[in-house]
């Protein structure tokens, strides 16, 4: 770009490129600001969801401890190892300012206890119910964590593009525009002086011929 010939056509082209670069920077800055607001909202929701998950998990574990007291560690382990309730998830996506974020939800119905109730404990049943209820919270936390990660990466990428425009491309365009304008102005002054000399010479010839 430093070798661009100093012509009016190139000057107009560079001015248009400069205008587009400045408009692009403004658009990217607005996008970054909106994404920053979204990121703060997601972080707030994530912190709250993690707290709810931790609280619910501790409650579920308390019932496991009570079941262990009543049934013994070995029996609780045998029962839990015999449980085969596979859980699958559906992952969909949505766009926030061009950033694709996940939506996670349970696929199908929540698992039901598949062990015999004879010789077990009500606390084990309650623990199973509480752990089953955790699935929705796990989906929510996974969804929020994925969204925070993607939005944060998008903000970093947008900021890099803003910096490139602000500190590299826009100053370069401005310098080139200024250089070409200066060169064209010098050429105009030189042409003006030359034309003035030519005019003066023609006037002298006319005066001599007269």
């Amino acid at each position: 770009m430093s070798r661009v010939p100093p012509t009016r056509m190139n000057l107009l082209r560079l001015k248009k490129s400069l205008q587009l670069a400045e408009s692009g920077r403004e658009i990217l800055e607005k996008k970054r600001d909106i994404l920053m607001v979204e990121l703060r909202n997601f972080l707030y929701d994530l912190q709250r969801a993690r707290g709810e998950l931790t609280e619910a998990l501790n409650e579920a574990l308390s019932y496991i401890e009570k079941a262990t007291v009543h049934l013994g560690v070995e029996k609780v382990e045998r029962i839990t190892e015999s449980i085969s309730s596979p859980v699958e998830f559906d992952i969909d996506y949505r766009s926030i300012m061009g950033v694709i974020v996940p939506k996670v939800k349970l696929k199908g119905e929540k698992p039901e206890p598949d062990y015999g109730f004879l010789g077990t404990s009500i606390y084990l049943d309650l623990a199973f119910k509480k752990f089953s209820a955790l699935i929705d919270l796990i989906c929510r936390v996974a969804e929020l964590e994925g969204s925070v990660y993607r939005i944060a990466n998008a903000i970093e990428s947008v900021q890099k593009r803003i910096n490139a425009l602000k500190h590299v491309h826009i100053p370069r365009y401005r310098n080139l525009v200024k250089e070409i304008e200066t060169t064209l102005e010098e050429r105009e002054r030189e042409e003006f002086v030359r034309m003035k000399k030519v005019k003066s010479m023609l006037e002298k010839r006319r005066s001599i011929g007269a």
Side-chain angles (χ1 to χ4, degrees), residues 9 26 35 139-140 146-147 154 156:
M9 184 65 69
E26 292 175 1
L35 288 176
C139 289
R140 179 63 174 158
S147 299
E156 183 180 3

Side-chain angles (χ1 to χ4, degrees), residues 21-152:
E22 289 175 339
S23 298
R25 184 202 63 195
E26 292 175 1
I27 292 171
L28 288 173
E29 286 175 346
K30 289 178 181 178
K31 179 177 180 178
R32 177 203 58 197
D33 294 342
I34 293 172
L35 288 176
M36 287 293 293
V37 172
E38 293 290 341
L39 180 61
R40 284 194 293 269
N41 292 337
F42 274 106
L43 284 170
Y44 173 79
D45 292 341
L46 176 59
Q47 184 179 11
R48 186 173 59 181
R50 281 176 173 171
E52 293 175 0
L53 178 59
T54 300
E55 184 179 349
L57 180 60
N58 288 334
E59 186 179 4
L61 289 173
S62 69
Y63 285 111
I64 288 290
E65 291 175 356
K66 292 177 181 179
T68 302
V69 171
H70 282 74
L71 301 174
V73 175
E74 292 183 0
K75 189 169 185 179
V76 170
E77 287 179 349
R78 285 199 305 271
I79 294 173
T80 53
E81 288 173 359
S82 68
I83 297 174
S84 58
S85 300
V87 178
E88 296 182 0
F89 299 93
D90 274 329
I91 301 179
D92 198 1
Y93 297 92
R94 63 189 179 99
S95 175
I96 299 178
M97 291 297 294
V99 181
I100 306 302
V101 298
K103 294 181 69 176
V104 184
K105 63 180 180 179
L106 176 67
K107 186 176 182 180
E109 300 295 329
K110 289 183 180 179
E112 297 290 339
D114 57 356
Y115 55 86
F117 293 104
L118 185 64
T120 62
S121 167
I122 183 64
Y123 295 117
L124 191 62
D125 301 337
L126 290 172
F128 190 96
K129 183 178 179 180
K130 293 294 181 180
F131 276 110
S132 181
L134 288 175
I135 294 174
D136 291 334
L137 284 172
I138 292 172
C139 289
R140 179 63 174 158
V141 170
E143 180 179 306
L144 290 169
E145 286 185 344
S147 299
V148 165
Y149 176 79
R150 291 181 179 224
I151 292 174

